């Protein structure tokens, strides 16, 4: 079994007192990771880490945990965003364990946009 290290590259840079820049990518509203990988590759060399958003504007997107894998594979350290809006304690715990297993060492917890925001953006027939 590999050694579990508590921090990642971003933590090391911050511990060293370095100025850091992070970016943000939005997982697609589909299972196709291509747009996410393209967003991430465009940021390589410009940012120290990338936030992978969690259902922005209260609308369904690819899981940020899946996004973590693609962001890391494209060459940038991921920061997983988790919104409490969509999860209970058990769901948060399992998502945190999964994020760690996928290599995420950075975490940003948010309450999330109000659910009504998603209804405003979704046209009804």
């Amino acid at each position: 079994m590999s050694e579990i290290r508590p921090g990642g590259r971003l933590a090391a840079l911050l511990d060293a007192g370095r100025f850091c820049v992070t970016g943000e990518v939005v997982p697609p509203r589909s299972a196709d990771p291509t747009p996410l990988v393209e967003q991430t590759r465009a940021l390589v060399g410009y940012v120290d880490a990338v936030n992978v958003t969690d259902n922005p504007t209260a609308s369904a997107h690819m899981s940020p945990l899946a996004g973590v894998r693609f962001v890391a594979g494209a060459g940038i350290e991921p920061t997983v965003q988790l919104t409490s809006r969509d999860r209970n304690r058990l769901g948060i715990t399992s998502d945190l364990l999964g994020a760690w297993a996928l290599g995420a060492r950075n975490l940003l917890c948010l309450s999330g946009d109000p659910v009504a925001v998603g209804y405003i953006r979704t046209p009804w027939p």
Side-chain angles (χ1 to χ4, degrees):
M1 182 168 243
S2 64
E3 175 187 347
I4 296 177
R5 296 186 323 211
R9 181 176 178 277
L10 181 61
L13 291 170
L14 292 170
D15 285 345
R18 298 270 312 271
F19 178 81
C20 296
V21 175
T22 63
E24 181 176 279
V25 293
V26 178
R29 292 183 183 209
S30 73
D32 179 8
T34 304
L36 181 64
V37 172
E38 290 173 352
Q39 290 176 61
T40 304
R41 286 185 180 152
L43 295 172
V44 171
Y46 296 101
V47 299
D48 298 299
V50 168
N51 294 357
V52 183
T53 63
D54 184 13
N55 293 329
T57 65
S59 58
H61 289 69
M62 178 187 289
S63 165
L65 276 73
V68 160
R69 180 207 176 265
F70 295 111
V71 167
I76 300 180
E77 185 173 83
T79 297
V80 65
Q81 289 186 8
L82 289 181
T83 58
S84 59
R85 172 198 62 223
D86 303 325
R87 294 171 178 81
N88 60 23
R89 184 178 60 184
L90 184 61
I92 290 170
T93 303
S94 64
D95 282 348
L96 290 173
L97 292 171
W100 183 273
L102 290 169
R105 298 298 180 262
N106 310 309
L107 172 67
L108 175 59
C109 292
L110 305 162
S111 60
D113 295 320
V115 175
V117 171
Y119 293 126
I120 293 168
R121 294 180 46 87
T122 304
W124 293 98

